[in-house]
Each structure stands twice: as structure tokens, then as C-alpha cells.
Amino acid sequence: MDAWLIRAGRGGAHAADLIRKSIVGIGWDFGGADIAAMSREQIEAAYASAHPEDSKQKVAANVGQVFRFAHAMAPGDTVVMYDPAVRLYHIGTIDGPCQPAADTGDVTYTRAVMWTKTAPRDALAQASKNSLGGIQTLFAVSTEVMADLDAAAERRGHASADTPRAASNDFAWVDFYMELADRLLPYKDDRGALIEKLQALYADLGMKFPKLDSGDAPADIDPYTVFGLFNKGVSLANRIKVATALGRVLGVNAQPPTAFPGTPLLSNLNATFYAFVGDHRRGEHDIDNLWRVFEAQLAFARTDNEQTRAEFVTTYNDAIGQFSLTWKLSMGLYWARPLRFISLDSRNRWFLGDMALAGTALAQAAPKEKSAPIHDGRTYLAICDTALAQLGSEACPYASLPELSHEAFRESERVNKEKKEAEKAAEQEAQENALGDAGVETESSSSSTPDANASDREPTPLPAEEFPLYGKEDFLEEVFMDEEGYDALVGVLNAKKNIILQGAPGVGKTFIAKRLAYSIMGAKVPERVQMVQFHQSYSYEDFIEGYRPCADGFKLEQGVFHSFCKRAASDPDNDYFFIIDEINRGNLSRIFGELFMLIENDKRGSRNKLHLLYSHESFYVPANVYIIGMMNTADRSLAVLDYALRRRFAFFDLQPGFDTDGFASYRESLGSDAFDRLIACVKRLNAAIAADDSLGKGFCIGHSYFCGLSADGVTDAKLAAIVEYELVPMLREYWFDEPTKVREWSGALRAAIK
């Protein structure tokens, strides 16, 4: 099959007409003769007779084009035609013979065409643009240029429809979401009935009712939080289940969605649009304000005029300053009317801010990824208006806001994948050069290995399951650490592969370790995280492999780290995290044995193998295994930490989080003067500990001793228990030879809560 370029008249004047009529044509007049039945000589004679003024060169060129149109073109061939009015190349398939035109103006002979796709000119490589610009009409297009056209058309293909593609069911969720919003509005003044329906719904599904307030059930609820029930980080199956049940309960006639492309998700830990009852950040009219916004947006989407626009702006401005809304409100607006309101979640902000991805107009109008939230409704509507005006343009070739949002998700996933692949390639190169020349393994892959207990056989990969999403934002919501500290922590772990979280008692080392792993993985997948605790009796046999008593004597068994590495090796596309609590308490040389070398970041992978002590198995530590150790800096046994291990780990200091924004918000939520006085005293105590030459910062008291309390549970008795049974005994150990200091600070702590 050949590919042909055809010009649609001077300046592409006939392109739109040819597309509309599903044809291509030529305009040379042969008096209606059947040129498909004429030989080249006959066509040339007829042309020369009709155009005696043309030179021999012009006659030859034009006759060649006519002959190719009549004879060389064939059904099934590809045809490419440029329309300068929209700067698009139209691509189709010849679907009929050459025949005289019937009432087509300047076109005299036509062929039927099935137009199938379009490719933006600006999306092509410069070499393709030059080639297509230099080809005369009805000349063949090279395979290289066609490949570039097809690739550009593929990138644009998803945006070819005027409405969400119900035919492929890709965006069938739009109709469901919009009708669900309509069905929710009548509950604006009957929220108690809505809450009862939601409770019954979850009971019928056999699912636990989500945490939507400080009590078992919410005292009140807004419409966007209802949408959030199935637009958060839960499995696809549960999203479908909840959406379907909700539609049934509220009488939605549209088909429940089976996929959700282009829908942003809430964090599971921040899945309401209001603060809980008892939280000082919750205003008296917060939920009323959200219902007013909801009602105004539906009216505005139905009729865009000065009055409805002004009403939406007023309600938006009244609500946007409420607790935790920030960018989240735009997500709710988008769910309820996805064809009119744009979501400004982080992925969309990143995408819209890139001129190459969404066009200059949108990049200039939209907020950047790290911009401050928009607190003015007119500004937000202006962004929506700009996006709608740009849809379908060459710069922003998407048919709807859901398609734009979906493309933002796909593009961000592609970029993240490329980054990961680049990092993996760099890592692989480092591995190949670690113990020898690139391409040379440290041991022959054909070397024999005793079968022992078949420890060299790869385990079955973990089943593919869906787990709750968990990312950076979730980590920062749970852990009293700022964003800069988190970025530094992740950067160090990615670079070194092995890290030790060290800090004073109570800084949350254990709490942080798993959440750090989950945030890097992007989901809570417990099967890819393993935790052990070292102690004086822990050994190589526990950690790597060793002989264990059995009914017949002794049996060689794999240790916990050996099994974990095998599991990780069978799943190389995912990261695995091995967490070691109290890493300094074990005899590290005895535990790690020959693995001291293999855990180094540049000596990971199958090219760097060593024989194990008992089985003689060729063993390696996979590149996708990360080791997180934890160490208490107030532990007197720090000195025994092996130097050989020290230089293979990065050490990250964790500080008490009393001065972080997260702890400040937590303290304010408790509303306890006694708690505030106690924390102030502990901060003064930490300053004294840090200044003590025999102690130092590593012995300061951490914040976790004071976490997990509720506004109702901050009693004098609980605070006194913390002081008497946790803090005072620690001070006695710190200042065992200075009883005066112990009495002084014990008295200060006790006095703080009285």
C-alpha cells in the first residue's frame, strides 16, 4: 500500500469541502472523459490539446499527476491532505475508483476517501515538515514521514470527539456524575435523611462506614464529601461498588461507571471538605456554605449569565477560606459539572502550566503547580473560561475538560516512568561497573549451586492487587516534618539505598519508617515492606541462612533478609523496603556476614554475586531493595556500631517536631492549656539537655510521647501519667549522677500540668 500527498487547491482552499464530502480530487478538465480508461499517451494528448500554452515541462508534470491519480492510486492506499485553516494534516484511506465529479465546483475527478485521523502540523518533526512542504501533489510520502504523522495522530486521537467518548465508554462517568449532582441538590435542606441513607448503604454493602467526623457518623455533610466517598484512594472495585450503590439509593438513571479516567482523587486521610466537630477550625456555617456553592454552580452551569455568575463568585469567595479547601474545592466543582468547571489538582496545575502541553493561553492563565490557592471566584471562572475556549485548538487539542484532565494524568505518569527508567539505567550502569568491567558478572551464571532446600529458586511474584494510595502529601499530613525535610530524606535514601533514621527518644522513628516506604511506593502495600528488630542474640542464621533443628536432625533454612531479597528479585519493577529497628543493638558483623559489600548501592543486582556461607548459593541484593535502619541516639550502645556498616549507610537526624506546623495544628486542636504548658516546659527541658556536655541534642525528648490524644482525652491524669511513668524515669537515667537536676526538672514538669 502506498501513501500519497494531495493538495486541496491553491492555499488549501478546498480542504474543508473535500473532508465534508469524504473525497479527494483533481481539477484538470478532460471534458468528462473516463481518464481511468485512458493511457498516459492519451491523457497527455488530451491535456496538450486543452492547454496549448503550457511548456513541455509543465505538460509532463501535470500529466504525471493526473495519471497517478487515475491509475497509480488504488483502494486501500493512504492519502494525506493539509488544511492550513486549522493547521492539520488529514489522513485517510482511498475507498473507491477514479471517476468524473458530480457538482463539486472546481474539482473534476474524485476518489472516495474514508478520513480516519488528523495530525497537528506543529506536532511533527522539522524534517517531516520540510519533506511534506517539498513534495508535489500526488507524489508518494516516505515511510519515515508517515510514521511521524501516525505518531502525531495517535497523540491527538483521543481528542477527536466533540463529547466524551460514550461509544468506547471511556468517559461514561460524566453523565453519572452530573445526574448524581442533580439528585443530591434536594438534600440541601434535609441532610439528616442523606446521612441515614449513606449509613444504610454501607451496611447493605457490608463495608465499614468511613470516618467522616469525630463521632461514628457525621453530624452534617456537604455534597462534595458525598462525591468523595468514591473519589479517593481506594481500590477500583470499591469505587465502582460505592458509586453504583449511591446511584441506586439516590435514583440515578445513568449507567454507573466502570472506569474513572480524568477524575482526581482525595487523600484517604483528608477525605472531607470540612473540619470535624470539636476542631476549632470548623466554622458554624462551613457546610451551609458548601451547599450554597454547590447550588450556585449547578445554576451557573445550566445558565451562564451575569446573575448566575455573580452568585457563584459570591458563594465561592465565602467558602474558599474554610479549613482544608484550598485546591480541593475545584475538584468538587469538577466532579459535579465536569464539562464546565476545571479541576486544579496538582497534576492538572503541572500540565496546564506547561506551554508545550496545554498551550500558551492556558499556561498564562492557569496557576503553577506550587502556586498559592485561588481565593477569588472570578479568577477561577476566568481559568475555566480560558480552558473551554482553548479546547479543540491546535495548542490544546482536547474535546472536553475530562479529556484534558485525563491527558494530564497520562502525561505525568509517562514523565514519572521516564524518570524512573533513567534512574534505573544509571543504577544499572553503576552496578555493571561496581566489581569489575561492564558486562562481566562477578560469578559465572553457569556455575553450579547445591540445591540445599531449593533456596535458589525464585518465589512466585506477589499477586497484582489494588492498595490504598499513599504519597508525599499523606506522609506530611501524618508526620511532623516539613516538606523540605521530606524531600531531603527521600533524596538521600534514593541515592544511598541504605539509610539510618537516628534521633532522640520519641521523635517517631518507627512511625516514620513505614510511612516513608509507603510514600515512595505510592501505595500502602504491606507485602513489599518487612520489619525486624535486632538484639544481642540475633545472628547470621536468622538474617541470611542457617541450619535449624527438625524431625530428622537439621535443615538449612532461609533467613528473613534472604527470603525478602528473593521476593524483591521476582518483582523488579516495584520497590521493596526492609526496615531494621534498633539496628545498633545487634552484632552487625555477625548478622550481615559477607553481605557488608553487597548492600552498597553500586554493588546491587545480579552482576554482583557472592557465595553464601552454608548453601554456597550465588546470592545478590536486588537493586529494588531499600534498607531503613532506626537508631536511638540516646542509646549507650552506640559505640559498638561497626564502622564498616556506618560507611554503607546514610544517617538522617530526626528532630523533635514541637515547632512544626503539623504539631502546632495538633496542639491547637486539643485546646488544652495544661497540654500547652507541658509542651512549653518540655521545650525548655530539651534546651537544657542539648546544652549539657554529657548529653546533647541526641538525648532530647521527642514529640511522640504526646501524640494520639483527643480534645476529650487531654485530662490531667493522662498528662500526669506521661510525666511520671515516661519522662521522669528517663531523666533519672540521663542524670543518674546529678539528682538535683532530676528533682528540678521533675518538679517543673509536674507543675506545668497543675
Side-chain angles (χ1 to χ4, degrees), residues 4 26 28 30 40 43-44 47 56-73 136-139:
W4 306 90
I26 57 175
W28 290 289
F30 292 90
R40 185 185 183 96
I43 292 174
E44 185 172 351
Y47 182 92
K56 288 185 178 180
Q57 291 82 359
K58 188 172 183 179
V59 170
N62 290 346
V63 166
Q65 294 175 22
V66 173
F67 183 79
R68 284 190 289 277
F69 187 84
H71 291 274
M73 265 190 177
Q136 294 183 22
T137 190
L138 287 163
F139 271 72

Side-chain angles (χ1 to χ4, degrees), residues 266 270-274 324-333:
L266 297 173
N270 190 14
T272 64
F273 283 69
Y274 50 80
S324 89
L325 287 186
T326 59
W327 301 112
K328 192 193 296 185
L329 181 56
S330 72
M331 295 165 59
L333 295 169

